[in-house]
Amino acid sequence: MSKFDAAPPNTHAGGNDDALRGQGSLPMNPTNNADELVDMEAYRQAVPLWKRVYQHSLTQMLLLSVQAFCGPAMADAIAGLGGGGLATPQTSNIATAINYAMLAIVCLFGGPIVNKLGTKWALVIGAMSFPIRGSSYYCNSKFGTQWYLIFGGFFTGIGSGCWYVAESGSIMSLAPSGARGKYLALWIVARNLGQLVGGAINLSKNHVKGAVGGVTPDTYIAFLIIESLALPFALLISPLERVVRSDGTRILVSEKLTFKQETKLIRFTMSSKLILLSALWALWSFFYSGTWSTYLGTYFSVRSRALSSLISPFFCIVGCFGLGFILDMKSLSQRRRAQVGLFTVAILNLGVYIWSIVMQVKFNGANPGKIDWDDSIYASSFLPYFFVQTTGPLSQSYMYWLLSSFATDAQSNVRNGAAFRCLEAVGQAISYGMNTQIRANPLIGFCVTFALMAASLVPMLVLVNATPDRIPADVILEEQQEKKITELKAEA
């Protein structure tokens, strides 16, 4: 674990670390158990090995990643079938649009809810809702029950909203300052490994050439089983204030505010420069999913859609860890890493969007019908989808890394994560809502997505250039440590 967590030395590029200190939260009153570094030698002697492993930041990130594998990844795998694997994607797109609309509402109020419940119990509530998605698709595929699919989208959105807010706050708080890129890559990879497993299930049950309509109902049984496994891992989550990072630091946690005080902070968070400047990026970062899911369902056969959900995650694993190592480079300041990361993500997405638009223009001129994997045009038409399954997650991983660069404490990460996830969900709801019209031209979705990315770059450049050279929470922690040492010397 120590090698994985290895942090680069603190770097200073001349920025004012306190300039953005108030953008994520109000001034803090840290709790007593989070205001000092851990004496690792004494900690090893006093705490049993099993408990040290359990409370380690990497262990907690792995527990979150397993839940991401069981929940969001299975949802992605179902979406990766194209239209949820149904004969027509319309009902699936309606249910998904409702799901993300509810998710956006819950995320809007997610900061007060999660900071009141605690991250663990918010994750438990979310994990309990995951199996509803798989069961609703099974019932629709087996019995044609459309009302349950829409009903499931409604309740899954509520539960997933609680889970996503707790997850986003945790993933931005757990990592040592110099290992955040790799931690976030681990989380993104877990989500895509879930899609890989889901793809294997899909392909094993839908590999016969010439199959038409939706995937077999048994496919959703496998998804339902995996989704049910998230709950026990959610129950294993440790409170953030008990987590010890490999570099000997604890997570900075402020005293809990009342629900009324937390609610008042919603307007403060949503109107902060951090959220306003990243708002368009948030809308864009997940917007692609609705259009590309409809593209897959419209132009590809059942078994080629199943194959796509199997092989799409492979390159994502390489890409996310590659970006993670860039964002954790020892030789660059945090601000410079933010700039390099933005440039990398933007260029890669630009190439994919141009390719996608070119392919869709060709399809508008001559409809290819249902493309199978042994057709000559399969590679050129499938590869844009293949690469967007990497460039999309890269944009998400990068943004959470950037948000955590402004963190003042764990609660501010929860609030910022809730606000950002709310905007992401709005983008997803609009995207799937656009595609509820089965005759809608995917070209429209591609162009809208491209325009959103272009519009988001200017405010993102402003935000990236204002990135502090060190995480404010780390600066605050050091100031508190120095103050404590000074007080001890004065007493002596």
Side-chain angles (χ1 to χ4, degrees), residues 280-315:
L280 286 176
W281 186 279
L283 288 172
W284 161 71
S285 64
F286 273 97
F287 198 89
Y288 71 91
S289 57
T291 299
W292 265 271
S293 178
T294 301
Y295 171 80
L296 201 66
T298 302
Y299 295 116
F300 291 83
S301 66
V302 171
R303 71 169 189 167
S304 63
R305 283 149 54 187
L307 178 65
S308 72
S309 60
L310 171 65
I311 64 177
S312 295
F314 281 106
F315 191 63

Side-chain angles (χ1 to χ4, degrees), residues 218-285:
D218 288 348
T219 304
Y220 300 110
I221 293 291
F223 290 140
L224 177 58
I225 293 171
I226 296 174
E227 287 171 334
S228 300
L229 296 176
L231 182 57
F233 289 97
L235 291 168
L236 290 173
I237 290 293
S238 171
L240 290 177
E241 60 269 18
R242 298 180 187 174
V243 174
V244 178
R245 301 188 183 108
S246 61
D247 60 359
T249 60
R250 290 188 184 272
I251 297 171
L252 197 61
V253 179
S254 297
E255 293 179 0
K256 285 192 174 182
L257 302 176
T258 66
F259 188 81
K260 185 177 181 180
Q261 289 173 320
E262 284 282 0
T263 304
K264 289 181 178 179
L265 283 176
I266 294 175
R267 185 170 63 86
F268 177 85
T269 302
M270 295 298 291
S271 61
S272 67
K273 290 182 179 179
L274 179 62
I275 299 303
L276 291 177
L277 290 173
S278 62
L280 286 176
W281 186 279
L283 288 172
W284 161 71
S285 64

